[in-house]
Amino acid sequence: MTLLSLKWKILALTSTIFAVAVVTVGILEYQILVDQQAAAREASHTRYLETFDGLLVKSADDLRQVAKSVLFIRDIETALIKKDLPVFKTFANTLWPMISFEQDIDILAFHDEKSTQITFWGEFQQLESTLAKASYQAISTETPFTVIYCQQSCTQIISVPVQVSGEIVGTISVGTSLADIMLGFKRVTGADIALMTNLRNNHFPEGRQ
C-alpha cells in the first residue's frame, strides 16, 4: 500500500511538473510572439515615418523651386522692395493662373522685411497669421521655413527669404495641399495615413529646410 501510494505521488508530481513546463513554454512562446509583433509594428511605423518625412522634404524642395522661379519673373523683386501693387496685380492677372495650375500651387504670398503681408493669392484667407509667422521665422533665420496648416484640409507652406544685394527685403511664401503627398504615401506603402494636429492652433511647424 505504501509503495502504491508513493508511485501515485511520483506520478502526480511528474504530471504537475509537466503541466507547469507546458504552461511555462506556452507563456514564453506567447511573449515571443507578442514581442515579434511589437517589433514588426515598430519597424513598420518607423518605415512609414521615414517615407512620409521623405515625401514632405521632396514637396518642400519642389515648393522652394517654385518660389525661386517666381522671383526670376521680371520686376517681381523690385515690386517687393517698393511694395508696387500694380506690378503684383499684373502678375496675378497673367501668370498666377498658369503657375497655380501647372505647379499645383494653392497659395502664394509676399511679405515685406517686417513680415507685413503685401499681397496674397489663394483660397485660404485664414492663413494670414500663419503666413506672417512663417515669414518672420524665415527672415529671422535667413533660411526657408516650412509649416503645415490643417483645418478642413492640410496645406504645406514654405516661406523663402528674398535677398537683394545681400539684404533681406521680404519673403515669398508658396503652399500646396498635402493630398498629393497622402496619395504618394499610399502608392509607396499601400497604407493609409492620418494627420493629427492641435485643434486650437490648427498648425504645427516643420522647421527650417
Side-chain angles (χ1 to χ4, degrees):
M1 189 71 176
T2 304
L3 180 60
L4 183 60
S5 176
L6 180 60
K7 287 182 178 180
W8 277 108
K9 288 181 179 179
I10 293 174
L11 181 59
L13 179 60
T14 303
S15 299
T16 301
I17 293 174
F18 179 75
V20 170
V22 170
V23 172
T24 302
V25 170
I27 292 174
L28 290 175
E29 290 180 346
Y30 174 77
Q31 188 59 50
I32 291 173
L33 180 61
V34 170
D35 292 342
Q36 289 175 341
Q37 291 178 340
R41 286 195 299 269
E42 183 65 26
S44 296
H45 182 68
T46 300
R47 185 174 70 254
Y48 290 161
L49 283 178
E50 290 175 349
T51 299
F52 189 69
D53 286 345
L55 291 172
L56 282 178
V57 170
K58 183 181 183 305
S59 177
D61 288 339
D62 292 342
L63 290 176
R64 188 187 300 111
Q65 291 303 317
V66 171
K68 289 182 178 179
S69 67
V70 171
L71 293 175
F72 278 120
I73 297 174
R74 182 179 178 181
D75 296 331
I76 286 293
E77 285 190 351
T78 302
L80 179 59
I81 296 173
K82 297 181 178 180
K83 304 177 181 59
D84 193 339
L85 293 181
V87 172
F88 286 121
K89 184 176 181 179
T90 300
F91 166 81
N93 293 334
T94 58
L95 296 177
W96 165 243
M98 179 183 66
I99 293 176
S100 176
F101 177 76
E102 292 185 355
Q103 302 295 334
D104 196 23
I105 299 301
D106 299 315
I107 295 167
L108 177 63
F110 287 92
H111 292 76
D112 64 16
E113 71 282 0
K114 296 181 180 179
S115 298
T116 301
Q117 183 174 295
I118 299 175
T119 189
F120 173 91
W121 297 278
E123 301 177 358
F124 305 97
Q125 295 297 332
Q126 66 268 28
L127 283 171
E128 183 175 350
S129 175
T130 298
L131 288 168
K133 291 177 181 178
S135 173
Y136 175 81
Q137 290 293 334
I139 292 174
S140 300
T141 60
E142 299 185 0
T143 56
F145 187 85
T146 67
V147 65
I148 294 177
Y149 179 93
C150 294
Q151 197 171 59
Q152 293 181 341
S153 61
C154 290
T155 303
Q156 183 183 31
I157 301 165
I158 185 168
S159 185
V160 181
V162 180
Q163 288 192 1
V164 177
S165 300
E167 181 179 352
I168 295 179
V169 296
T171 62
I172 175 175
S173 300
V174 292
T176 186
S177 169
L178 287 186
D180 287 340
I181 293 180
M182 299 292 200
L183 292 175
F185 181 86
K186 176 72 173 180
R187 286 194 298 267
V188 173
T189 66
D192 294 315
I193 189 172
L195 293 180
M196 298 183 66
T197 184
N198 189 320
L199 295 178
R200 180 176 300 175
N201 296 325
N202 288 332
H203 70 277
F204 56 92
E206 279 187 59
R208 290 175 289 176
Q209 291 287 338

